[in-house]
């Protein structure tokens, strides 16, 4: 296969920076990919990454950090470990909706509050049934380009303090700060904000979620091998291991990436994301042929911008980009032929965004 | 972390050859890791690998090929998709036993025939209850170093032709030929015989297994997102996609590896494995301080040799190897301090095995 592009603004898998490419070369040359997942060398890599994640995101001591294989597996594990009968999902696009479908596929009832595409739910003015054991939301809904503001999460947490809360941060973490205390479970994969290859997921699991899973196990509600108790056992006693043979390369890369973000300062990374997003939204708002899909500026995603172009303009700009070996991400689902999505992650440089703007300047 | 070794005989993750390292560099340099898993570039990679696998292993047209994340996920998916109530497992060590535990963790009954460590089950002289919906076996049990002979699988298939049969080939495929018609499901991961990094699994699923999964779905027995119907839907219509964002790097690498094995000829690869294994067993049988753990030569694994050394000798040879930056794989579980395991996979060269023998020559 030919090289598909030199630069991609796709929202995931995303552009991978040269420094990550160098990390891959280092891991390969030093045989990190051949270490036994039950031996000390793996433990050293895994411990480094767990500690780096914990430090970077201030993950509280009583939250467990688990390696999974994808955010999709995050849905699966939450559905099996945390919900006996009923859950509640805020749905505002494909990915938030998928969690609800996943719960259904496990035979659980999922109540939903559904916002129209391009809008965000009114989280604090919704009746969540008291029977709901888990509330789920997607921090950044990449299919439409809306993001839940931090203070909404905080207020939701206060209002429903007795209910478990699980937040999908697949397309925001690595590009923003988060207050981990504000939810019981956070889960994500590595091919978006982190700017790493696909094939690794992570979960932060708080004490109330651990307890719920244990309680379900003691009632003999089958959760399979990947129950939190089993997962914790593999990580415990300084082993830092996983049930399955994990994606060792990505675990190593994630640790290295955390260390770099730590040096830059996570709040600096977050601020840069916001400044760039603001600049890009201004650019597209004043553009004659384009406009942001999300009308309300307060819920527009700083991480994955969805821009309406119409079919003709989309073809024009995509072709123009393609001539420069640049890929513009397609709109999701029904927006595919009329919208583009633009990733705004740390792996992309300021120069990359200057090049992007030039494409849209004629 | 320092480079842990220059050469490893560990049974998995295993030594990765220079040609695979070159493939990784090629994929990285050409941005294959940044292609969208819902776009044409990914489809091209995935289709190439599916076709190469199908050709290499003569996978019948009516068998589906699915990408998973590990062989552990293979157990999970079989337990959920193929067993309503009861299964039967041939257990002869840790990995064959784990499938039985996995079935239990899903609340299913698993009848077991258990062979002592170092021995193989007498597959054809066991009473398998008629209520068993699935028979499971592990082609090569790496924890002890026994392999089920091909004609045993064939006879078992004939004897229980009405029952589904699932075979774990994690530590043999890539180093041997297989007759895919002899079972309904074959599953494996890529970090052993294939000589690739960890983090990818594959399943070959035949028509009777597809039908069983569909029948269970229609009875509303929850299988979660990863039911065969969903998995097939993602692969269908020329999409070759997966439910989750997959490990794109490994899918690419697996396809390249298949093409190389195709050029060498799979039977040639298999024969070479057998010749080398025979030579190694002869070497250790005539060695004053070592002997093969498995007494019966007809069931000794050609893929992962388990060699008894005793604690003192083990320390001596491991240290000697370590001085040359060579790693000898540890025995599994209770054999850890007294036995080593030696991988015999295509990624290791004849020269590597000469070096291995030299370690044991003084």
């Amino acid at each position: 296969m030919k090289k598909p592009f030199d630069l991609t603004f796709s929202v995931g898998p995303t552009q991978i920076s040269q420094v990550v490419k160098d990390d891959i070369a280092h891991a390969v040359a030093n045989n990190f990919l051949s270490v036994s997942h039950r031996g000390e060398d793996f433990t050293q890599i895994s411990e480094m990454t767990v500690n780096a994640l914990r430090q970077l995101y201030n993950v509280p001591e009583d939250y467990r950090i688990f390696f999974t294989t994808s955010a999709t597996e995050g849905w699966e594990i939450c559905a099996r470990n945390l919900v006996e009968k009923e859950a509640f999902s805020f749905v505002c696009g494909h990915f938030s909706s998928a969690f609800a479908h996943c719960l259904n596929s496990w035979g659980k009832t999922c109540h939903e509050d559904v916002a129209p595409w391009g809008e965000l739910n009114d989280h604090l003015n919704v009746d969540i049934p008291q029977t709901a054991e888990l509330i789920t939301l997607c921090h950044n809904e990449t299919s439409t380009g809306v993001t839940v503001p931090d203070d909404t999460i905080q207020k939701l947490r206060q209002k429903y303090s007795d209910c478990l809360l699980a937040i999908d941060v697949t397309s925001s973490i690595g590009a923003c700060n988060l207050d981990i205390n504000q939810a019981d479970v956070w889960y994500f994969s590595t091919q978006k904000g982190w700017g790493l290859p696909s094939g690794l997921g992570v979960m932060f699991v708080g004490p109330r979620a651990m307890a719920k899973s244990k309680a379900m196990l003691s009632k003999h509600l089958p959760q399979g091998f990947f129950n939190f108790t089993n997962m914790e056992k593999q990580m415990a006693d300084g082993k830092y291991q996983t049930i399955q043979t994990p994606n060792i390369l990505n675990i190593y890369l994630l640790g290295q990436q955390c260390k770099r973000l730590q040096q830059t300062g996570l709040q600096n990374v977050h601020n840069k994301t916001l400044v760039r997003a603001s600049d890009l939204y201004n650019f597209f708002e004043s553009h004659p042929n384009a406009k942001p899909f999300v009308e309300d500026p307060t819920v527009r995603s700083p991480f994955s911008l969805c821009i309406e172009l119409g079919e003709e303009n989309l073809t024009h700009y995509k072709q123009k980009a393609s001539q420069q070996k640049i890929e513009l991400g397609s709109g999701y689902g029904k927006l595919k032929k009329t919208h583009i999505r633009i990733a705004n992650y740390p792996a992309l440089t300021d120069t990359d965004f200057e090049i992007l703007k030039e494409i849209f300047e004629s």
Side-chain angles (χ1 to χ4, degrees), chain A residues 46-66:
Chain A
S46 180
E47 183 178 8
M48 175 273 287
T49 299
V50 168
N51 289 344
L53 269 169
R54 197 178 287 283
Q55 194 187 351
L56 185 65
Y57 274 96
N58 272 314
V59 180
E61 286 243 344
D62 55 357
Y63 276 60
R64 303 275 74 81
I65 297 179
F66 297 130

Side-chain angles (χ1 to χ4, degrees), chain A residues 49-242:
Chain A
T49 299
V50 168
N51 289 344
L53 269 169
R54 197 178 287 283
Q55 194 187 351
L56 185 65
Y57 274 96
N58 272 314
V59 180
E61 286 243 344
D62 55 357
Y63 276 60
R64 303 275 74 81
I65 297 179
F66 297 130
F67 295 118
T68 68
T69 58
S70 65
T72 304
E73 199 190 2
W75 298 332
E76 289 268 304
I77 290 175
C78 284
R80 299 192 303 244
N81 280 262
L82 300 176
V83 183
E84 272 188 61
K85 289 178 185 158
E86 288 182 44
F88 182 93
S89 284
F90 287 104
V91 174
C92 56
H94 174 79
F95 294 98
S96 42
S97 163
F99 199 154
H101 288 147
C102 183
L103 282 156
N104 294 150
S105 78
W106 284 102
K108 326 253 164 144
T109 300
C110 190
H111 307 278
E112 297 177 34
D113 176 69
V114 182
W117 272 44
E119 294 179 25
L120 194 64
N121 313 74
D122 187 4
H123 294 81
L124 304 170
N125 291 304
V126 165
D127 279 327
I128 300 181
Q130 287 213 329
T131 46
E133 302 152 62
L134 173 73
I135 300 170
T136 80
L137 64 85
C138 185
H139 183 219
N140 183 61
E141 173 59 65
T142 31
S143 65
T144 64
V146 292
T147 297
V148 185
D150 290 347
D151 65 332
T152 302
I153 294 176
Q154 215 168 2
K155 285 173 189 159
L156 186 73
R157 180 70 162 174
Q158 278 163 4
K159 188 171 173 188
Y160 297 98
S161 57
D162 288 343
C163 191
L164 291 177
L165 177 62
I167 304 187
D168 181 344
V169 285
T170 299
S171 57
S172 57
I173 196 167
C176 68
N177 210 340
L178 296 167
D179 179 359
I180 301 305
N181 278 302
Q182 299 302 326
D184 297 287
V185 176
W186 304 79
Y187 63 94
F188 53 93
S189 48
T190 55
Q191 76 282 359
K192 294 183 185 271
W194 295 103
L196 300 175
S198 54
L200 180 68
V202 177
M203 300 183 87
F204 301 156
V205 182
R208 300 196 313 175
M210 292 297 295
K212 169 81 181 193
S213 169
K214 278 193 175 66
M216 282 176 64
L217 268 190
S218 71
K219 286 185 189 176
H220 303 289
L221 296 165
Q223 296 170 26
F225 259 14
F226 291 87
N227 61 70
F228 289 146
T229 306
N230 250 358
M231 290 162 82
E232 188 178 29
K233 207 173 135 192
Q234 293 291 342
M235 292 293 283
D237 305 324
K239 290 201 307 283
Y240 294 91
Q241 293 177 9
T242 54

Side-chain angles (χ1 to χ4, degrees), chain A residues 12-23:
Chain A
T14 54
Q15 183 76 5
I16 292 176
S17 67
Q18 189 54 48
V19 69
V20 171
K21 292 181 176 182
D22 293 345
D23 280 348

